[in-house]
Structures are given as C-alpha cells and as structure tokens.
Amino acid sequence: MKHFSIFFSVNKHKPWIETSYHGVITENMDTVLLDPPLVALDKDAPVPYAGEICAFNIYGQDAPFEAVVLNRTSGEGVLRASTPVDCEIQKEYTFIIQAYDCGAGPSGADWKKSHKAVVHIQVDDVNEFSPLFREPLYKASVTEGKIYDSILQVEAWDQDCSPQYSQICNYEIVTAGTPFAIDRNGNIRNTERLSYDKQQSYEIMVTAFDCGQKRAKEDVPVHIEVKPVCKPGWQGWNKRVDYEPGTGSKQLFPKMHLETCGGPLSGVKAMVELQTNHIGKGCDRETYSEKSLQKLCGAASGSTDLLPAPSPSTNWTASLLTDSGRDSDLIYRFDGRQAANVPDHVVPQNLTDQFTLATWMKHGPTPGLRAEKETLLCNSDKTEMNRHHYSLYVHNCRLVFLLRRDFTQVDTFRPAEFHWKLEQICDKEWHYYVINVEFPAVTLFVDGVTYEPYLVTDDWPIHASKIDTQLTVGACWQGQSASERSLDLGDESVETTTPRFTQYFHGSLSGLTIRPGRIETQKVISCLQACKEGLDINSLESLAKDIKFHFNPAQSVLVVEGEDVDSINTAMTKVSYINSRQFPTPGLRRLHITTTVQCFGEDTCLSIPDIKAVVMVLQPSEPQITITGSNRLVRPAGDLRGPLGVAPFKELYITSTVMKGDGFGGRVMELMHNLDYCDVLVIGDELNPERESLEIHHSALLGKHLDTNTSVCVLQGVDSMAHYEQALRQVRYRNWRPAALSERRFRLTCSELNGRYTSNEFNLEVSVLHHSAPVEHVNHMAAQPQYMRPVHHPLMIHTINSHMSAGAPPAATVVIVVCIAALVVIVVIGVYRIHATHQEGSREDEDEVKEPEAEWDNSALTITVNPMEEEEEDEELVGGGTSAESDNSDEEEREDDSGGRKDVEERKQKGKLEWDSSSMAY
C-alpha cells in the first residue's frame, strides 16, 4: 500500500497564470516578448505530476502563435510565432491562453487547467520599404517677378505600417544651384524673383525620406515654367509733364490706362495728390501786398498791416529776418530772438467790439519738456505794469487769443481767453488764420474752415489806467517793475528792472493785419487764402454715370471712384493741372497717385503700384515794363499857381512786352497784365508842403482798384496798366509860390507782383518859365533847346491801347517833304516874275497891278525854311510844352487825350511852312 501512494497522488489544485499578457514581436521574427513573462504556478508542487505544468494551450481564430513549456517544474513557458508575422498585413493579435498541469500521474489522467488569460500581441514594424512619390512627374507655372509661398506640393508615401517608418519626414531638392527650396511638407517655393528673360523653365529633381531616414528609391522630376509677368498698374503715363504758364488747364495723363491682367473687378478707387507745400505759402498764390490782396478780394477798408515791407515810413520791420526769396513773397522768420514794436501812430486805438485779426503762420512743435508761450501779437503795458490787453500766442500746439476789456467798457466777469487745439498749428506747414471778434463771441478760420474754441475762460476786466500800451509782433513787451500783480490770464506779472521782450515766437509769419470795427466775411477769407493752382477735371459731361469724384477745398487732392475699368481710364485721362496766375512760380510740383482695386467678394485682390510724377511749371516770360513820354515839361509860373497846377505825366504811356522764342526766331509781343503800384519820387529837395504839392484827386480813382498815399505819392492796388495810365495822367503838381523855383525833377517807377517785375526809371523835369515874351521867329537851327529830344517810337507787334495806334510820321520824311515844297514855290515865283517882265511894256495901262508879287526883288525876298521845325512840332506833339503854347495849357490839360491830339494835328497842318513877313517886299 505504501508503494502505491508514491506514484499515484491526488491532483488537488489547478494551475494559476496571470489574467492578461502584453507581448511584442518584430515582424519576420518568431520570439514574442511578453510582459509579464509566461509562467504558470500550481499549489500541488512539489508533488510530481500534480504540481508540474505540462502545456499551454492557445485559443483564438487563426492566431499564428504557439506556447511552449520550457520547465515543467518551474512552469516557465515561451510564446512564439508559428508562422511569419507581417506588420503590413496585421499589426496586432489578441487570443486566449490557458496552462495545464500534468494530472495525477504519468498517464496525465485527472489533469487540471488554469483560468483563461488574455494575450495582446503587437507586431513591431521593420523599415523595409522606401518612400514612393504619388506622381511620376510634377508640373507648375509661375509668373516672373513674384515671390511665392508655395508654387506646388509634391507628395510621397511609405508602405511600412508604423508611423515611424510609414511617415515622410523630409523632402530634399537634389538638383544643385536652383532658386527653389522645399519644406518638410513638400511645398516648393522660389527663393528669388524669377525672370522670364533670364530663364523660361526649370527642371529639378526631388527625393523624400521617411522618418527612419530611408530614402526614396527613385527621385521625382519637377518641371516649373516661368511666364512673363502681367504687371497690374497704370500704363501710358509720363514721369514729367511740362506746364507752359498762361495755357490754362493741361491734361496730365492723356493716354494713361489701368492694366488689371484680366481679373474681374468690382471697383477701382484712385487718389491723385498734388504736392505743393514747398511752393510759397503752401501753394502758388498771388504775391501782391496784403493790402492789395484785401482790396482785390473785396475786403473792408481800414486794415493795418503790422508786418509791411521795410521802408522809410515802415521801418519797424527792418530788423526782422526775412525770407523773401520765393516769388517776392514777403515772409518774416522768427527764431526766438527777434521782435518788433509797432509805432503808436500805426496801432488802431479803438478796436471796438468787432474787429479782425489775420495772419499766415508756419509753426512746428516747440522743443523742450515744457513749451513756453510763443507770442505772435501782443498789446501790453509800455511801462510800470505788465498787463496784457490783447494777445495772440501759441502754447503747447494750442492757439490762444487773449482779450481783456477795460472796466470802462464792461464791469462783469466776461470771456477773456479763447483756446483752439488743431493739428495745423504744429504741422510745419503754411496756414491762413483769421480771428473774427464779435465780443463776447470769437470765431477762428483756418484755411477758410471755421473752428469754435474748445475752451473759453473768463476774467474780470482790466482797471483803467493812464499807462500807455505797446503793440509788439514776434514777442510780448514787458514793462518796468510793477507795484501790483496783474490778474492777466496770459501772463503772471514779474517785476523787472528794464523793459524787455518775452515769450518769443518760433516760426514764420506773413500778412499780419488787424482791422477794427469790422469782421471779415467767409467769401473774403476764402479769396485771401485761395490757391491759384490745383487739380481739375476737363469735360465733366463726358464722364460715365458710375464715376464719382470729389476734391479737397484746396483742389490739391482728387479722388475718383468707379466700378468699370474703362470708365476709370476715361476719367483719369481728364485729370488736369491748372495755374491761373499770369506769372506763376516756376519749378516742380510732385504728383502722387495711389490706387486700390476691389474684387468680387474680396476686400482687395490686386496691388497697384503708386505713381510718382512731377509737373514742371516752366519759367514765365519776364515782362519788360516800359514807361514812355516826354522827359521835360516847360510851363510858365502862372500855370503852377493855378488851381489845377500842371499835369506832369499828361502824355505818359505804360507798355509791357515779352520775348517769345529764342534766337533769331524770337518775337516781341506786347503783353497785357496788371500792376500793383507806381511810385513817384521827388528828386532833390523834398516837397515843401507850405508852397507846393503833388496830388491826385479822389475822382480820378473812382471805378479803379487803386489807392494813394499822398505823403510819398504812391499809387497802389492791383489794377490794369490802362487804369494806372489814366490815374497817373491826373497827378497834379502845384506850386503857389514858384518865384524861386526853376525846375522840379520826378522819377516814376511801376511794379507788378510786389516788386517781382519793375519798370524802367522814368525821369521827368518840370521847368518853370518866369518871363514869356512873344517871339516872332525862332531859328531852331541856330540854337536847339535842351529839352528837345529825338523820339524813338517802339515797334509794336500789336497794339493794346487805342491811343497808341496813331503815330507821327518820321522826322526825316517831314524834312524832305517841306524842302521839296519850298523849292517848288521858289521856282513858281521865279517863272512868274520873268513872265511879268516880258509883259510890262504892253500892260502899262494896268496901273492897278502894283502888288509885290508883280515886282520881285531878289535881294528883298527872304524865305526861311527850317527843316527841324517839323521835327520840333513832332517833339511838341509827344512832350507838349513850348512857351507859345503855355497860354492855353490849362485849357488843354482839361481836355481828354484824343481831343488834345486833334488840336495839335490841326496846328501842325497850319504851320508846315512859315513865311518871314518882316523881310517880305509887298
């Protein structure tokens, strides 16, 4: 019985294994690495058979694996592939495994099996495949001149199953020296702008690498074609357009059109900008004096020019810096060290509740952390105190106008300081500022646009005092030490020892005026600041209905919009430049055109390059202003004492000519233009107002844009040469005590455009005859008077004034005609006398024939023929003025010019041949 128990034991327990296993097998290999390892345990151990593991069984559909027991006692086993596994066919396997013990004996009877465990096997990939390109050939085309982010994309793939070996990690261009690059996604781009002229196509080879760095077996060719560019933009325009002064409106782009390269467009917007900031005060404007411009624009009279041109009567601006190098435009430049005190007799004493301040100003930001006040105009106490009565200044790019009323005018808390914050104040460009005061309201105009103050502060009026005030330009005058502090908002009073300037201005000013009692109208303000050059559109009626356009107020910016390209092209060919000045400022004007194009469903689809061109305004032909007339006038003293005196410029003519063309082909053309002043200077001693005057009656200026300054006899105002002629002919010189006067000399000069063009200096001498005895005959051949000058009549291409059309015949012709006539008369008389002698015997009974012509005595006949007498009369026709004519000179001067010329012609015809009756025998 004992022996039997050794070989046959009872199998009480079943084997135990893990509930799940994870394994990895590399494809084409047979060993599976399990986690945890394959081990079966049995509690019957160490009992033989019952405690030993005999087998592992796999349950699963077509699982190509088998489990083998390596050690029955320890229960170790191994899992391996029964057939080759391929990751590309199947990447994972899942099956069931169970362990079996050896049973109760050698026969294996009464065996037991473990619970079922799940086994998950993953097949590791081997990089056995090379990448393959999906296409055998790639093609693309590009337009020259462009940089592309991606021209085309090549794509390769890999048959390996794992991400590591099946993904393409890199592409590479095999062909060396090409202007292309490729990224890891296969996008090919160009690294430089391609040129069709340089190379029309490129052939490059590209390879691919998977993430295991296995290279493609075959590289793929890529063919890239370069196409000539279609450049969107404006075509058919010139970079320079020459503008001839006086030609009106000139088209800038008569052949320009927009190339869009065939793309469908929904709209085009073009902006044309004329840049004239470097011309004058921001653009080409009239450069007449401020007073002349105001009269030309219809401004109310009574304005005071606080920055006039320096002269003996306006010398307070002589110390200021001027910048008048541009077209005679009078500009004063302030650098923080210059200022001028306006004389008291110039300053308006009572501004009233209505007045106007106006000025051109160019100003930039003030350097420094804390900007100081910069005063344009200031009326402050001259001594003792430092109160500011009114001032205009800039502070931190704000324009401030201060107005402190006197207690005598108002005794309540009233508006005193008006603030404007505008970009124009510090943009370093010229702007025209006008302040209209209708107290308590104050309105600012900048370039004709109205601005209300953003801040108005109140203050008490200034206490009345007997302290004189000082008006200053470019700074503020600070008087001597004060006994009390001013409540002035514009300045805290600081005690000083000597008067001085403070709050200096930095910038440029021009045309600073003040007009009391009146405010300026919008129409006049617009006229005073109007540009004379700008953009224009010709033939508006020919534009398409879908075209929209608008200008800025200065007509320096034009915006054209339309939906159709052809309509836009037509509109742009109509864009013109116009300069209405007769003598514009020559030089460049820059043009800048920006264009935006809209496509259907997109904001912008084409990039249109900007256009930069220039308008070259050519140098205008310089006019030669010429004053002609008699250079000497002889009048008896009685004429000078008369109520009208004498008209020294009675026979004055003003003409202007220009040379058209160069060289031998040039022509002299007479030109019609305005003048802006004529100045009559007294040469020698100044006029003595106690006994003489040089004046013009106000009636002579009616209907003309002329004004006069009798103290220096200046005619001023923008008006025609004809009106200046008429006015100058009415200038009268009187001397009610001429006994000590023998002659007076005058010099006349005229100007156009504030001195840009000036006439010749016309000198005139008025001689006084104190004794005028009658003379029967004067032989001019013996002694020609000094005032007789030959007259050279200018050759006129065409005549502007009607009184210039009739000219006296040349002097040589007159002399010849007179000599021939005299010779004929002598011959006729001689023949007649011979005939009478032969008839004497037969006609003794005719005693009644005893006239001198019947008996000629050669010795008694004297005929004086003066060949220069006719020339003298021509001279008198132009200059007027022999002593014989002086008796009726006043009457002649009151007649009009045509009537005077007719009388002289009649006297000329009557006196062509003079007989010396004193030596004639009757």
Side-chain angles (χ1 to χ4, degrees), residues 184-199:
R184 60 187 305 169
N185 295 320
N187 293 302
I188 297 177
R189 59 183 176 86
N190 56 322
T191 57
E192 62 184 52
R193 301 183 190 277
L194 306 180
S195 171
Y196 177 83
D197 296 333
K198 182 179 179 181
Q199 189 169 344

Side-chain angles (χ1 to χ4, degrees), residues 130-138 153-159 168 170-174 182-188 204-210 214-222:
S130 298
L132 297 174
F133 286 96
R134 296 190 181 277
E135 301 290 341
L137 173 67
Y138 289 90
Q153 184 180 25
V154 297
E155 185 180 5
W157 66 288
D158 196 304
Q159 300 179 38
I168 307 301
N170 194 23
Y171 292 91
E172 186 177 304
I173 295 177
V174 179
I182 190 170
D183 62 15
R184 60 187 305 169
N185 295 320
N187 293 302
I188 297 177
I204 59 176
M205 301 299 294
V206 176
T207 190
F209 295 87
D210 61 20
K214 196 175 188 68
R215 180 175 173 171
K217 286 185 177 180
E218 294 183 359
D219 301 332
V220 67
V222 178

Side-chain angles (χ1 to χ4, degrees), residues 420 422 434 442-453 522 525:
W420 293 270
L422 305 173
V434 178
V442 176
T443 304
L444 172 68
F445 294 85
V446 181
D447 298 331
V449 180
T450 307
Y451 296 92
E452 297 297 331
Q522 175 83 47
I525 293 172

